[in-house]
Amino acid sequence: MRRSRGLTAALVLSLAGAGTGIGLVLMPEASAITPPVAFTADELPTWQPNGIVFAMAQANGTVFAGGTFSAVRPPDGTSGAEQEAVNFVALDAATGKPTSCKLAFTIGDGSATVRALAVSKDKKTLYAGGYFGAVNGTPVSSLAAIDIESCTPKAAFHPGFPATVRDLAVTDDTLYAAGDFGTVEGQTRERFAAVDAGSGALKPFVANADEPGRAVEVTPDGKNVLLGGDFFSVNGSNTHALAVVNATTGAVAKTYSNIPSNSVVKDIATDSTGFYTGNEGSGGGVFDGRIGLKLSDFSEKWRDRCLGATQAVLPYDGVLYSSSHAHDCSLEGQFPDGKRNFFNAQLTNYEGASPAPVDGFVRSPRKLGWHPTANDGLGEGIGPRAMTIAEKGDVKYMWAGGEFTAINGKPQQALTRFASTGDVGAPTTPVASAGSVKPGEAQVRWRTSYDADDSKLTYRIYRNGSASPIATVAAESLEWERPQAAWNDTTVKAGQSYTYRVTATDAAGNTSALSATASVTVPSSVQSYPNQVRADGANLYWRYDDTVSPYVADSSESGNTSGIQLNAPALRQTPGAISGASTAMGFNGTSQQVYSDHRQTVGNAFSVETWFKTNTTRGGKLIGFGNNTARNSGTYDKQIYMTNTGRLVFGVYNGSNRTVSTGLFDTYNDNKWHHVVGTQGPGGMELIVDGQSKGTLNVTSSISYEGFWHVGGDNLGGVPTKPTSNFFAGQIDETAVYPKALTAAQAKNHYDLAKAPSDTVSKVSATEDTYINQGAPSAANGATTSLAVRGTSAYETYLRFNLPAAPPGQVLKSAALQIKTSTQASAGTADKVSVVPVTGTWSGASTTFNNKPTLGTTPLGSFASVPDGSAVQSTPLDTAALSSVLGSSYSLALTSTGTDPLWIWSMESTAADAAPQLVLTFGPK
């Protein structure tokens, strides 16, 4: 009997460093493997059968596997090292290698197979069931008892089972069997029977079923037996797929009528927390998941309606592990139809009170972060079929067998195992971005990483290339639920540029690679349009300024609903919809879209908003809500779409499609930017285009379901004035979703603000640079990859920039010089470094200490000091002085009066962000 241990405390957020964390679930810093998961997802070397494993058991550090195979081979598949193994193999739990125990299960006519294994309570006897006539030549009839110590069949134990035995359960004195048989020892025992565990003599237990028995288990108190299979009656009582009977007589104690007729019970397991079924079926309305039931009265406590043919269930320490090919857990509020998840783990009981039923069933407890991968494999293409847990040397091992031929993407057939220690798999690399819409704040955000056995990861944010993180954030994620995490840097300065990189570390200390660099320039004044979108309460805000696929950042204040690009829409399309440096995303109208990777529900009050530009005549969906991600949604509404003629339609579904559309001659496929808002709330529905209301409808409700936001495409089947294409061809920008109905005045304000002038940023890299060295007074250093500054003995650095003129109607609002220290030891300096204008002439090719140029006396700015370590450094410059020289070639010098040298990269360096540059912010007068 397995015991449950206490589960972890509430989740909290860990934060360190300047700034604030947003959009995160609170949780503690984790320890090795995120509890209550007990095993890593890293596969261990294990010998492989050449067929299928159907059954597993363990005793004293040895794992037994039975099935249909003839040999086993080493983990690396080395030819010549194969060993004979006729439908059975015993392996060392800690090494994965075969032991000296060799048993051959054979039959004279047909193909033998082992389908069930069970070990006696004293760990001395192994029972095997299946379809076979002999074990190592000893005659038996589909059921055998093996002395474990000597690895020999017990000749005296040979009850006659004339058909396949599919499952076994054993108590101190009784062995229960389930299968296809109709008689045992010539007496009627239909699909279930009990024999003496020592002699094999048939017992008076009678639980006759009308269809095959597939699972049998004994309750922990030994008083009742749990039966599973295909049946519709037991001892004449109507009960489908599951029943509870008296352990002595077989009399029915509990029947079940709420498992669909096209589903069967494939496995039953029990411990002190309850008993659990694994179910499989086919056809519409099938039940393929798991049920948790109480031991007190055998009633249902929860039901997991994921689709994907569950083959095995195994409760251990408060967690239910299962093997299946679960591919659709939408009904559980988890992953939508798509990728197959062959291994899952979930709590056996809720941590608090059970939730209210949904569709008459209590949803199952949450899935946990344990997801080794497998494949369909051989035979029926089921994947894993059996599981057991063994312990040796204080290490616990989760073993799995089945039809698979690969584990975690590597060849591995029929058997694999995972340990309770030794987590070596690092999280995926975060995909980071950064944005700023007002002075004094930069939002760093990233799609949370995925780790196959850790759902709680620690993220470290590094600014400007520093080797030390500026902040540490902990966040939770699962493979199918990876909300955006974010951190606000409140120490940034207006007009300056910053770079950020992020790593993810799991509980065992495995750390991902650094993310790609995310850059941001902090504006000198508030950017009116994005700031108003945030102020008006957007809880999803996609600006499409991302530089890499497939991540779309959420710029809202809550910042946790990132988007995933599907089929590579075009990035950074210019010009965008609003003035300034914002970019748009391009869609091909046939397959491309962006969907949110955070499942949610939408209330009866909401708004959807976006900008678009197109000349399509095929229509398509601009934005909408649907119940799937990469596949077409089966349920969808809360959408704005374009008709073939260029009209716009805003619609919801509340039992029928309810829509508001623009007028017959109000068309918007003119290849110009347009702004559209659809709202629903207590006042009904409204469609607003380019700041003008285009229609209302007194509909205040829509259907409620869990789903995902889609931009650029999704199902449009059955909608009024359906366009030719579900997908939109054109550009989309500045998409936002609100949990309330925007007013018409708010929508018009957004439209007007988008046209208002805003700041623009120009980054100007040096076109020439050099430094002079008093120690080598005749040397020219214009081709070196690093530059130096020192007072005594003197180094001076010179930088030349081609400054742009101010855009029409704008002035220079701020300027900053950005440099990057080199990787040389002690590249930083404790001394002040001044930035001064160069008033004389110089060139990289010929300037030396002996002919150095004259310098201005009034500094434009300065670095008080520069820390060691290769990192980007920035200082503001005199805006008025630079304003007077815009549109010309201009030179700066870096000087010092101290003795501690500064070493920085030159424009010739290939290091990232190496070239010295000016960051110039222009804005309205």
Side-chain angles (χ1 to χ4, degrees), residues 125-143:
T125 303
L126 171 68
Y127 298 95
Y131 183 68
F132 47 83
V135 181
N136 284 1
T138 299
V140 291
S141 183
S142 294
L143 182 63

Side-chain angles (χ1 to χ4, degrees), residues 276-277 287-293 300-307 310 313 320 322 326 328-335 344-358 360-368 480 706:
Y276 307 89
T277 69
F287 174 55
D288 255 356
R290 293 157 290 283
I291 305 176
L293 301 106
E300 186 170 314
K301 55 183 181 178
W302 54 257
R303 180 173 293 214
D304 187 324
R305 293 183 289 166
C306 293
L307 296 176
T310 304
V313 287
L320 182 66
S322 59
D328 186 355
C329 282
S330 300
L331 292 174
E332 295 303 301
Q334 295 159 16
F335 51 86
N344 284 284
Q346 61 199 120
L347 298 174
T348 53
N349 289 327
Y350 276 92
E351 294 166 308
S354 299
V358 176
F361 299 103
V362 175
R363 278 182 170 177
S364 61
R366 62 186 174 93
K367 299 288 191 304
L368 303 171
W480 62 86
E706 294 176 322

Side-chain angles (χ1 to χ4, degrees), residues 139-159:
V140 291
S141 183
S142 294
L143 182 63
I146 313 298
D147 179 75
I148 292 176
E149 184 176 5
S150 64
C151 188
T152 57
K154 297 182 177 182
F157 185 96
H158 52 77

Side-chain angles (χ1 to χ4, degrees), residues 214-299:
R214 297 180 180 270
V216 62
E217 184 62 271
V218 183
T219 57
D221 62 9
K223 295 180 180 180
N224 292 281
V225 176
L226 313 168
L227 310 180
D230 302 22
F231 52 80
F232 290 86
S233 70
V234 174
N235 288 345
S237 296
N238 291 330
T239 183
H240 176 52
L242 182 65
V244 182
V245 300
N246 180 274
T248 302
T249 66
V252 174
K254 176 76 173 180
T255 61
Y256 296 87
S257 59
N258 61 356
I259 296 176
S261 60
N262 55 354
S263 298
V264 303
V265 169
K266 295 296 292 289
D267 192 27
I268 301 174
T270 186
D271 70 356
S272 61
T273 66
F275 75 97
Y276 307 89
T277 69
N279 301 265
E280 174 188 282
S282 62
V286 67
F287 174 55
D288 255 356
R290 293 157 290 283
I291 305 176
L293 301 106
K294 302 174 185 176
L295 287 171
S296 57
D297 60 3
F298 309 120
S299 64

Side-chain angles (χ1 to χ4, degrees), residues 35 42 203 395 466 525 527 530 546 571 582 586 598 660 701 772 815 840 876:
D42 303 312
K203 289 203 166 189
V395 177
S466 172
S525 58
Q527 294 184 346
D546 311 280
L571 305 182
S582 178
H598 177 54
V660 183
S701 65
I772 55 94

Side-chain angles (χ1 to χ4, degrees), residues 524-588:
S524 298
S525 58
V526 173
Q527 294 184 346
S528 55
Y529 182 89
N531 189 63
Q532 193 62 50
V533 170
R534 290 161 58 116
D536 283 341
N539 58 2
L540 179 156
Y541 185 19
W542 294 344
R543 304 201 66 197
Y544 308 111
D545 295 333
D546 311 280
T547 59
V548 295
S549 297
Y551 167 70
V552 176
D554 180 2
S555 297
S556 69
E557 290 279 7
S558 56
N560 71 345
T561 308
S562 55
I564 301 300
Q565 302 162 28
L566 181 65
N567 296 322
L571 305 182
R572 301 191 65 77
Q573 303 290 288
T574 56
I578 64 173
S579 61
S582 178
T583 62
M585 183 170 284
F587 298 84
N588 63 10

Side-chain angles (χ1 to χ4, degrees), residues 18 442 444 460-471 487 489-493 497-502 870-873:
V444 186
R460 292 178 174 83
I461 302 106
Y462 298 85
R463 188 172 76 176
N464 290 346
S466 172
S468 300
I470 190 173
W487 175 77
D489 188 349
T490 56
T491 65
V492 295
K493 297 178 180 178
S497 292
Y498 298 86
T499 63
Y500 299 91
R501 301 182 79 180
V502 182
S870 181
V872 173
Q873 308 294 329

